[in-house]
Each structure stands twice: as C-alpha cells, then as structure tokens.
Amino acid sequence: MEYTEFLRQMERILEMEENSLNGTEALRDLSGWDSLAVLGLQAWVDATFSSPLDVPALTTAATLEDVWRLISK
Amino acid sequence: MPAKYSRIHSVAHYFPSQELNNDALATLFPEWPADKILAKTGIRVRYVCREEETALDLGVEAARRLFAAQNIEPHSVDALLFCTELPDYVLPPNACLAQNLLGLRTDILATDYTLGCSGYVYGLSLAHGLITSGQAKRVLLITAETYSKVLAPQDKSVRTLFGDAASATLVELADQPGIGAFSWYSNGAGARSLIVPQSGSARNKAENRAASQNAGDSGRTAADLFMDGPRIFQFTLDIVPSLLSACLEKNALTLDAVDAVLLHQANKFMLDHLAHKCRIPAEKMILDMEYGGNTVSNTIPVALSRKISQGVLQPGQTILLAGFGVGLSAAATVVKL
C-alpha cells in the first residue's frame, strides 16, 4: 500500500475532504482525531493488513507519518 | 440414567425510567453532534437509574415482570443466580436479598457472581450445570447493572455508550437439548483495560491511588470507570472470531445452521466490524442497542426478550450467543429457543 492511499483512508476516518491531508499534520491539530477515529483506524488496519495495529505504540505517535510507520513496518 | 438437558424457558427485562438521549449528550460534548453519536454507536437513548435506585431494585423488578408475564410460581424456583458488578452491599449478596423480595423458597441456592459483558453467557453455563448435574430443575438468572453510578460526568467515551438495565431469565430442565456447549476466554493480563480502580479492597494499593492520572479532560477519578477503548476493541477483534468458531465446532454446527447471531451489544461500530470479520450475514446479525445502549451483562437477555416479543426470534430457532468484556473475559454458546 502507498502512503497516499493511507492518507485518503485517514481523510475518510477523520471525515475530511478528499486530498485535504498532506501527511505532515500533527495528530493534535486534527479536530477529528479522537477515540472514535482510533477505532476507525483499528478496524481499517484489521481489515487491510495481516498484523493488528500496535495500540500502545499509537499513543507515542505525534504525526500521521508516525502512524503510517507503525502500520507499514 | 437418562441425559439431562436445560433450556431457556423465558426472558424479561427492565429499564429504569430516566432517559439520556443524544441531544443531551451533544450539549455536554459539542464536538460530538447527536447524529454522529447515533451513527458511530447505534445508540439513541440510554436509561439511567435514580441515585437511590440499585441493581437489586432493577433485578427484582425484571424478575417480577418475568413471573407476571409467564405466570411463573416463585416457589417453583430451585436456584437464584444474580450477576452484577455493583451489588447493593459488599455483604450480604444481592441474591439473598432478592430471594426474600421475590418470595422464593428458603431451601434454594442463591448467590451472586461478578462479571460484566460476558456475564449472561456465564450465567447460562452455571444454570445449565446446576440443572444437568441434578441440583436444580428451575434456575432464575438475574443480570442487573448500574454503570451510571461509576461514570465520570465529563467522560464522553463511556457516557455515550453505557446505560442501566436488568434482566431475568428462567432456565429449566428439558427433555431435549436447549442450551448447548460453551467456549471460553479468560485473561487477567488485560484487567486494567476496563476497571474501576478504587472500588474494592485494593483501593489503597499504589497502582489504584495513581489511577486518576492521565484522565485528560474527562474529569475521571480513580473511583470512576476507566475504559481503554482501543485495547478493548483490539481484544474483541483478536478473540471473538476464534471464540465463535470454537463454540460452533463444539456444538457440531456451522454458521449456516444458525438462525441468528446475538453478540454483546457493545456498540454498532464494533458489531458491524465483527460481523464483517466473522462473515456473519447481515440478516442473521441482531442489533439491539438503539434504545438502551450498552447495558453490560444485560444486552444479550434484553435483546432476547425484545426480539422474542417482536417475533423476530421464534421457538425452535438456534441462536449463537457471545459476551465479551471485563476481566478480560468472554464466553459463547448456542441455544435453541
């Protein structure tokens, strides 16, 4: 999966307009990044990848790039 | 000696009268509009007990409704199981108090057990065991929960989900299999993912005194419910599919042979994803949280009670049940109505 595809999925999870994320955004600056968004991300990772999302590690993620690194490693 | 079987004779439920709807929650938490709460949780209304109202009150009322609706003679009950995490007292048990209030015989077994969202399926197993071992012919299983008493007012992640409720189920001796084999999961390593830290004899342990830290803007104290939603969600994704498969295998069934699947009604988002992951057809998946919400050990019997009343579930149908949550624990079984 490409990073851009991840960003488009994050836009859907965060209920943002398509192509509005460029990947440099800090999670704390995204108004939709809350507990429901985390569940949405977990569900997507569970359905898309062979390994589940590392939930404890997610708490250390500061940016979307950090989240992508967690998912794609 | 002929084999002994058990079956669910009947189920009733009871909600307290106070309502908490999404408009009221959206006023408290403007960042979550009412329509978003409904879309994500599948919950429109939660019912909340009054300050002086307890699990015993709710449970006894559910049992009275069961007795009245089914014309059940209280003296026909041989055992009473009472599932709650918030009993009226540390001692005595709610079951003994309920025995007296319901006018049950005094020569019966009456005991509490402490479980959350897996509690109803565990209770069916205990009732099944009492009956098939010849210790009882009729078991009254009460579940009653009042999480509203341990929710921090500003903790939106739990206030949008949980409601109070009670249920009463009569399980009885049967001449054909009604309650099938069970599959289980218990793992205390995840206990702190869903916990009220300062709620029992361990309230003064250091880890529980410190538990109110990192509460963010929820206002949560160590005496309130803490739920690590992502970890609980991951737990269900990890164990529920294999739990269901193991249960079907123990009962020599496939999903095709099951008429309906009734999972603990945690929230719509979780159930939608579990249904997709477990390949449960939408028409078999029971959703019943819109009016009542996540009522912990009550969601399965409340759904049984309502869906039987509505004719959605009918005598002779085979239902796959599974509860999962606090402990962490989970259980599944198959029942034939």
Side-chain angles (χ1 to χ4, degrees):
Chain A
M1 173 175 292
E2 298 296 324
Y3 183 49
T4 52
E5 198 176 335
F6 161 73
L7 291 179
R8 301 294 83 80
Q9 180 60 33
M10 287 304 298
E11 286 157 358
R12 286 189 283 273
I13 290 172
L14 296 168
E15 298 177 352
M16 299 173 70
E17 287 193 17
E18 194 172 354
N19 297 318
S20 56
L21 291 173
N22 62 34
T24 60
E25 294 85 352
L27 293 174
R28 67 171 180 275
D29 294 334
L30 297 169
S31 61
W33 181 249
D34 57 16
S35 57
L36 291 176
V38 173
L39 297 187
L41 178 62
Q42 281 180 275
W44 176 68
V45 171
D46 184 68
T48 310
F49 297 89
S50 55
S51 300
L53 183 64
D54 185 345
V55 173
L58 186 64
T59 59
T60 66
T63 65
L64 285 171
E65 286 179 335
D66 294 339
V67 177
W68 172 244
R69 271 193 290 273
L70 268 180
I71 294 171
S72 58
K73 72 180 180 185
Chain B
M1 182 185 294
K4 286 187 167 71
Y5 304 108
S6 72
R7 72 176 189 112
I8 292 175
H9 174 278
S10 48
V11 190
H13 70 278
Y14 175 68
F15 288 117
S17 59
Q18 295 186 114
E19 293 187 7
L20 176 62
N21 62 31
N22 292 344
D23 289 333
L25 286 168
T27 303
L28 288 170
F29 312 118
E31 63 279 21
W32 281 5
D35 56 349
K36 180 175 180 178
I37 296 173
L38 177 62
K40 296 290 184 183
T41 66
I43 301 165
R44 194 179 295 274
V45 174
R46 303 127 200 95
Y47 302 99
V48 180
C49 65
R50 301 187 310 275
E51 194 172 355
E52 73 278 14
E53 212 168 16
T54 66
L56 179 66
D57 296 328
L58 304 187
V60 165
E61 182 58 32
R64 284 182 174 144
R65 289 178 180 220
L66 178 75
F67 289 175
Q70 301 292 329
N71 199 23
I72 293 167
E73 164 56 44
H75 276 209
S76 70
V77 172
D78 303 310
L80 168 58
L81 302 172
F82 200 118
C83 175
T84 186
E85 294 169 299
L86 297 169
D88 285 41
Y89 303 99
V90 173
L91 66 151
N94 275 12
C96 289
L97 300 169
Q99 172 276 327
N100 183 47
L101 292 168
L102 291 169
L104 307 185
R105 300 194 322 264
T106 55
D107 64 337
I108 66 167
L109 177 156
T111 190
D112 288 6
Y113 66 100
T114 307
L115 273 173
C117 306
S118 60
Y120 184 70
V121 181
Y122 272 75
L124 287 181
S125 175
L126 296 171
H128 176 74
L130 287 168
I131 290 168
T132 55
S133 63
Q135 298 180 81
K137 291 181 179 174
R138 286 192 140 186
V139 179
L140 177 60
L141 168 60
I142 293 176
T143 61
E145 208 51 87
T146 56
Y147 265 25
S148 64
K149 296 181 186 300
V150 291
L151 302 183
Q154 290 302 315
D155 193 345
K156 64 184 177 189
S157 67
V158 291
R159 287 204 70 198
T160 48
L161 295 179
F162 292 109
D164 301 333
S167 78
T169 302
L170 188 70
V171 183
E172 69 172 9
L173 182 66
D175 55 11
Q176 296 179 59
I179 297 175
F182 292 77
S183 59
W184 307 100
Y185 178 88
S186 298
N187 186 355
R192 298 198 77 87
S193 301
L194 196 48
I195 189 170
V196 182
Q198 289 195 337
S199 57
S201 296
R203 61 167 59 88
N204 290 321
K205 288 183 183 288
E207 66 266 31
N208 294 329
R209 286 185 175 196
S212 62
Q213 294 171 359
N214 304 318
D217 58 1
S218 71
R220 190 182 62 248
T221 73
D224 296 317
L225 178 75
F226 166 72
M227 182 177 74
D228 185 337
R231 288 204 188 194
I232 294 295
F233 186 40
Q234 196 61 53
F235 149 71
T236 63
L237 295 177
D238 291 344
I239 70 102
V240 171
S242 57
L243 184 84
L244 298 184
S245 296
C247 181
L248 289 171
E249 189 175 333
K250 282 185 177 181
N251 287 282
L253 290 170
T254 63
L255 204 48
D256 289 342
V258 169
D259 296 299
V261 178
L262 175 47
L263 306 182
H264 163 55
Q265 306 285 294
N267 61 73
K268 183 176 184 298
F269 181 85
M270 183 184 286
L271 293 194
D272 284 348
H273 192 70
L274 280 174
H276 176 75
K277 189 176 173 81
C278 300
R279 295 189 172 88
I280 300 168
E283 65 272 17
K284 290 190 177 184
M285 190 75 174
I286 292 179
L287 293 178
D288 184 64
M289 74 279 284
E290 186 170 348
Y291 291 91
N294 180 340
T295 54
V296 195
S297 54
N298 300 287
T299 65
I300 294 173
V302 166
L304 280 175
S305 171
R306 288 201 281 214
K307 297 303 180 188
I308 290 170
S309 297
Q310 295 164 4
V312 174
L313 297 178
Q314 297 181 344
Q317 287 191 319
T318 300
I319 321 294
L320 175 60
L321 307 179
F324 36 85
V326 171
L328 300 171
S329 69
T333 191
V334 172
V335 298
K336 188 167 187 178
L337 297 179

